[in-house]
Amino acid sequence: MAKIEIQNQIIVFEIIRRKRKTLEIQIDTQNGFRVIAPNRLSEKAILKILEPRKDWILEKWTEVKHAQEMRPQKSYTDGEAFPLLGKMVKLHLIENKQLKKAKVRYEEGKLIVNTPELTREMIRPGIVAFYKAYTRVEAERRLKKYTDILGVEYNRLVIKEQKRRWGSCSHLGNLNFNWRCGMMPEPVFEYILAHEVCHLVHLNHSK
């Protein structure tokens, strides 16, 4: 990790080096502050490039920190609302000490959670497992529409934890999606799916 001092404030950031010609600054609530830089650039050279943009960096960094502080933290308690394809559904917790881990299912507009303990540490993994399975089912069902339109096929479908992306397509034709896609409003989810299917034809972001 690198750091930069702006107006007596130390901001720590990540440097990611890639095979590219230009330097890119990214500041957002998902990834924080990071710099995508060419392999050849040293940290000293990167800091020199950032120097004239310090005021802008501080402004955006302050906005991101404020947004992170305002973001509500999930408590995983009975009645708490979670998004499911853009619609809010409530948790219904059922304690069952005979279980080893939490099991979650969607039923009658609720996320029914059978759990050995009514704790966040026990419930959250069950919620994540549910969303992974749910997102996979919905993705498989919806992807066919777009693959049929373009006359293409994907190799594998992977639903996983992705901190920096909603979806991606590999050169092997594997489609990867963030498990949180199952939370998105349907039009947003459809856009993400269509976008990645397009990469089966064009593995870039050209016109």
Side-chain angles (χ1 to χ4, degrees):
M1 300 296 284
K3 58 184 178 181
I4 186 172
E5 182 176 351
I6 308 175
Q7 296 182 19
N8 297 320
Q9 183 174 343
I10 303 296
I11 299 178
V12 177
F13 65 96
E14 180 183 11
I15 297 176
I16 300 174
R17 289 184 171 82
R18 292 178 181 165
K19 187 178 180 181
R20 56 183 298 157
K21 295 181 179 180
T22 59
L23 181 143
E24 179 184 353
I25 302 172
Q26 297 182 350
I27 307 176
D28 56 53
T29 55
Q30 187 72 19
N31 306 310
F33 172 26
R34 62 179 187 160
V35 171
I36 315 298
N39 289 325
R40 59 182 173 78
L41 276 186
S42 66
E43 183 176 323
K44 184 177 180 180
I46 291 171
L47 290 172
K48 187 175 181 180
I49 294 172
L50 296 181
E51 185 69 28
R53 306 201 67 183
K54 277 187 172 182
D55 289 343
W56 178 84
I57 291 170
L58 181 60
E59 178 186 352
K60 294 301 178 183
W61 176 246
T62 302
E63 291 176 2
V64 164
K65 295 298 288 184
H66 178 68
Q68 290 175 335
E69 290 169 0
M70 295 297 290
R71 180 188 296 168
Q73 296 296 314
K74 291 296 184 183
S75 59
Y76 298 89
T77 54
D78 194 66
E80 185 174 21
F82 279 72
L84 192 65
L85 286 184
K87 297 179 180 179
M88 301 307 291
V89 296
K90 293 184 178 181
L91 296 187
H92 178 58
L93 305 184
I94 302 173
E95 188 173 15
N96 185 346
K97 294 188 179 297
Q98 295 181 345
L99 295 175
K100 292 184 178 181
K101 61 182 181 179
K103 297 182 178 181
V104 184
R105 70 182 188 276
Y106 176 65
E107 187 177 293
E108 297 181 351
K110 295 180 180 179
L111 289 181
I112 310 297
V113 183
N114 285 273
T115 175
E117 297 177 10
L118 298 175
T119 61
R120 184 184 190 279
E121 291 70 25
M122 184 62 69
I123 295 170
R124 187 182 185 279
I127 296 289
V128 172
F130 166 81
Y131 273 107
K132 283 183 177 180
Y134 182 83
T135 300
R136 170 177 288 279
V137 170
E138 289 296 320
E140 286 178 341
R141 181 171 68 85
R142 296 163 188 266
L143 280 169
K144 188 176 186 307
K145 172 172 59 178
Y146 301 111
T147 55
D148 285 352
I149 289 172
L150 292 181
V152 295
E153 293 183 0
Y154 58 87
N155 182 34
R156 292 178 58 222
L157 174 63
V158 180
I159 309 298
K160 60 183 180 179
E161 177 79 36
Q162 290 185 295
K163 293 183 178 180
R164 296 170 180 162
R165 295 180 177 179
W166 288 109
S168 61
C169 176
S170 75
H171 69 283
L172 296 175
N174 297 329
L175 298 182
N176 307 293
F177 295 100
N178 192 318
W179 62 262
R180 295 176 181 83
C181 285
M183 296 180 169
M184 296 293 99
E186 286 192 67
V188 179
F189 188 21
E190 292 277 354
Y191 166 78
I192 295 168
L193 295 173
H195 181 103
E196 299 309 330
V197 169
C198 286
H199 280 316
L200 294 171
V201 180
H202 297 287
L203 198 59
N204 55 58
H205 288 102
S206 64
K207 290 183 180 182

